[in-house]
Each structure stands twice: as structure tokens, then as C-alpha cells.
């Protein structure tokens, strides 16, 4: 039988050739690939063809082929220590909301490893092909809102899984750490940002006053993080940037995508489709829209923090630039879309 090291493997490092990842450690490769091979064998999967490896500063992704079709692929994901919670989170989500996520073939929560079946085409590909548009985005966000609402009772268990916290009341401290820790902010800009901190506190207090429950925020819900296996069906995946916080913060990325791709007139219907799943908590439609506008603005801090979940030793220059951008966006944004 051919061993892991004898298989033809193609490695894609993208533009991150200086990333420090465990993929370059032969012993780690043998261990993680051996684990995946054992799981495949246990599921009766026979590997064939070339292995495709995607190495990034935050994860290593390996595609195993177990047949001739696209849906015969199996995906191994190994996250950086700071997002290793994704493995255990994926397992729990499959138990809590199985119709909205992929069910792993296996996970090793302690090592941050997951083995996942193929989930179908990306929503991005469906959009690019012209087979879907803003109406389908609204449907997808409605499904996502329904999923978040069902995860609300598990918010405290998310903490126990190691999912980072970014609850509304915690955001001023998150902001302080991001401003203090980013070397791209010189003394003048750091002072200017901190001078605006009282406005951040006001926004947090206003959002918190609505009393909406915390849930899981994906923090990067773009069209490449959603699968579209069939018309009207959507699967949400890639939870390595997630946090526990205000659920409406998840709207930040899709609101921007829809506005830029289809025009601002399509944003409100999409947001309303999402908010439909948050009625019944004693809030008017206007109050929910206001809460969404606040959460979208404050969601910039979740995005700013997620950029530092990297393998140790990886240069952080790109992350510092991305994080600084989102911190600045916090005060550049208007109060509504």
C-alpha cells in the first residue's frame, strides 16, 4: 500500500510563502494524514488521485479524492491554535443545527482537526454563474438567522468550547486591546482613536439596552463561506473567525457584499429577511432594524480581532493592516446603511 509520503501532493501556499505552519514538519504531516487515512478507511472511503493542500497562516486544508466526482472529495482541516476551537464547534453545531451545517466525518477537538465531506458548490459560484442574486442572498440570510436563533440556548457552552467572546459589553475592552497592540497606529492616531472611545461606549450601551440574546457570530459570512447544495438550500461553514457576541454582527460582511455587487436598494430587504427570525422578543420592526445597524457597525471589532488567529511564528504584517482597517471603519461608518 502506498504511504502518505508517496502520494502525489500539490501544495498551494498562495501569497503566504513566509507563513510558518506545521505542514513543513514531516512528523506532524505523518500524524495528521495518518489520522485522516484511518478515518477514511473506517468510513469505507478509498483514496485515489492527487492530494491538494492549501496552506495559509491560519489553517492547513487537504483535499482527498475518493472517487471521480466532485462530491467524492473529503476535506481535512487543521486550524491554528487560536482557532482550533473550530473542530469542536463544528461537531456541536452538527448536533444542534444539523440542517444548517456540515456533519464532520470525525473531529479531534484537542488538536483542532476536522475531516469533512464535500458539501456541494459554493454560493459564490452560483452567484457568479448568474443562477442566483440578491433574492437568494435574502433567503440565505434568513436561513442563517434561523440557525443563530436556535443556537442562543447554547451561548454559554460556546464559551466552554473556546470560541472567543466579543459580547457587546466587552467591546470597549476589545477596542482598547486592538488599539494598544497594533504597531501601525502611531501615537497621534492612537490618541485620536481613544478620544472617540466614549462614542463606542454609547453605541454599546444603546445596543445592549435592546436586550437581544447573544449567539454565534460567524464574523466573516461572505459568499465563499456558504454552500448552495440545491436551490433554496444553504450550508454555513468555516467557523475559524467566529465569536460569541451579538448575533446581528454577522450582517456586516453580507451587507457590504450585497451593497457593492447589487446596489444599496437590495440591502434592506435582505436585512428584513434576516430579522424576521428575531421577532417575538418584544421588539418592533424599527427597533430590530436599529439594533441591526448598531451591531453591523460594532461588528468591525470582531473582524479586527479575528485577523490574529495565526500559526505561531507567522509574520503579522498583513494581519496588522487588516485589523487596523476594521478598527478605523468603526468610526468611519454611518449609524445606518
Amino acid at each position: 500500500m502506498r504511504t502518505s509520503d508517496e502520494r502525489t501532493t500539490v501544495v498551494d501556499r498562495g501569497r503566504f510563502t513566509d507563513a510558518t505552519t506545521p505542514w513543513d514538519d514531516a512528523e506532524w504531516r505523518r500524524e495528521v494524514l495518518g489520522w485522516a487515512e484511518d478515518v477514511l478507511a473506517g468510513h469505507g472511503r478509498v483514496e485515489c488521485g492527487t492530494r491538494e493542500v492549501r496552506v495559509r497562516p491560519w489553517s492547513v486544508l487537504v483535499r482527498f479524492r475518493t472517487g471521480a466526482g466532485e462530491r467524492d472529495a473529503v476535506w481535512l482541516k487543521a486550524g491554528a491554535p487560536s482557532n482550533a476551537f473550530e473542530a469542536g464547534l463544528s461537531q456541536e453545531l452538527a448536533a444542534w443545527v444539523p440542517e444548517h451545517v456540515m456533519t464532520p466525518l470525525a473531529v479531534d477537538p484537542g488538536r483542532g482537526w476536522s475531516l469533512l465531506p464535500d458539501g456541494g458548490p459554493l454560493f459564490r459560484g452560483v452567484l457568479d454563474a448568474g443562477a442566483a442574486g440578491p433574492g437568494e442572498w435574502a433567503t440565505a440570510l434568513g436561513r442563517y438567522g434561523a440557525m443563530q436563533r436556535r443556537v442562543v440556548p447554547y451561548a454559554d457552552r460556546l464559551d466552554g468550547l473556546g470560541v472567543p467572546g466579543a459580547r457587546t459589553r466587552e467591546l470597549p475592552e476589545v477596542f482598547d486591546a486592538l488599539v494598544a497592540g497594533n504597531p501601525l497606529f502611531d501615537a497621534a492616531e492612537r490618541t485620536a482613536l481613544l478620544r472617540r472611545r466614549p462614542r463606542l461606549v454609547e453605541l454599546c450601551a444603546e445596543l445592549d439596552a435592546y436586550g437581544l440574546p447573544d449567539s454565534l457570530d460567524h464574523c466573516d459570512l461572505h459568499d465563499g463561506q456558504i454552500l448552495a447544495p440545491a436551490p433554496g438550500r444553504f450550508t454555513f461553514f468555516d467557523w475559524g473567525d467566529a465569536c460569541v457576541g451579538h448575533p446581528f454582527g454577522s450582517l456586516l460582511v453580507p451587507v457590504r457584499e450585497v451593497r457593492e455587487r447589487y446596489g444599496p436598494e437590495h440591502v434592506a430587504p435582505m436585512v428584513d429577511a434576516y430579522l424576521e427570525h428575531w421577532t417575538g422578543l418584544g421588539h418592533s420592526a424599527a427597533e430590530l432594524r436599529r439594533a441591526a445597524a448598531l451591531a453591523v457597525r460594532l461588528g468591525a471589532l470582531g473582524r479586527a480581532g479575528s485577523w490574529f488567529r495565526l500559526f505561531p511564528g507567522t509574520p503579522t504584517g498583513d494581519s496588522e493592516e487588516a485589523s487596523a482597517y476594521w478598527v478605523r471603519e468603526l468610526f468611519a461608518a454611518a449609524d445606518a446603511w
Side-chain angles (χ1 to χ4, degrees), residues 220-299:
D220 193 22
L221 193 63
H222 58 70
D223 54 17
Q225 312 278 42
I226 303 172
L227 299 169
R233 287 186 54 206
F234 300 95
T235 303
F236 308 100
F237 74 107
D238 202 347
W239 297 95
D241 288 340
C243 70
V244 186
H246 200 290
F248 296 1
S250 291
L251 290 168
L252 170 62
V253 172
V255 159
R256 286 180 168 233
E257 283 207 1
V258 168
R259 180 197 294 131
E260 292 170 7
R261 183 164 187 162
Y262 299 107
E265 67 275 13
H266 294 287
V267 171
M270 179 186 73
V271 171
D272 285 344
Y274 169 84
L275 294 177
E276 196 174 311
H277 296 277
W278 295 93
T279 58
L281 295 173
H283 303 88
S284 68
E287 288 172 332
L288 289 174
R289 291 189 194 103
R290 175 59 181 165
L294 290 165
V296 164
R297 182 169 182 174
L298 294 170

Side-chain angles (χ1 to χ4, degrees), residues 10-42:
V10 176
V11 180
D12 166 23
R13 297 180 185 272
R15 60 184 181 85
F16 303 101
T17 55
D18 58 350
T20 300
T21 77
W23 179 257
D24 297 310
D25 180 335
E27 181 58 33
W28 183 88
R29 287 200 309 274
R30 281 193 291 272
E31 189 173 1
V32 72
L33 293 173
W35 175 79
E37 289 166 355
D38 288 344
V39 174
L40 288 173

Side-chain angles (χ1 to χ4, degrees), residues 77-241:
K77 186 171 186 179
S82 51
N83 62 28
F85 64 84
E86 184 181 5
L89 174 60
S90 297
Q91 184 176 45
E92 294 298 338
L93 288 175
W96 300 338
V97 287
E99 69 274 32
H100 296 292
V101 298
M102 285 191 289
T103 298
L105 299 177
V107 301
D108 185 326
R111 294 185 287 190
W113 298 348
S114 305
L115 200 65
L116 299 159
D118 189 90
L122 287 175
F123 189 33
R124 174 175 295 166
V126 176
L127 292 169
D128 289 346
E136 284 71 27
W137 251 122
T139 301
L141 263 292
R143 301 278 193 278
Y144 177 78
M147 183 203 72
Q148 281 184 304
R149 184 76 185 268
R150 285 178 52 190
V151 173
V152 165
Y154 305 103
D156 290 341
R157 291 175 64 177
L158 294 172
D159 294 324
L161 293 170
V163 182
R167 290 170 167 83
T168 305
R169 62 180 179 274
E170 301 167 342
L171 292 181
E173 287 69 35
V174 171
F175 170 77
D176 292 343
L178 289 167
V179 172
N182 196 321
L184 296 186
F185 297 134
D186 59 24
E189 185 172 15
R190 190 169 287 114
T191 298
L193 286 168
L194 292 175
R195 191 177 295 125
R196 304 189 72 175
R197 188 182 191 276
R199 178 57 178 153
L200 167 62
V201 173
E202 291 174 356
L203 293 170
C204 291
E206 183 183 355
L207 179 58
D208 207 34
Y210 287 111
L212 289 156
D214 294 318
S215 186
L216 183 66
D217 177 1
H218 187 285
C219 280
D220 193 22
L221 193 63
H222 58 70
D223 54 17
Q225 312 278 42
I226 303 172
L227 299 169
R233 287 186 54 206
F234 300 95
T235 303
F236 308 100
F237 74 107
D238 202 347
W239 297 95
D241 288 340

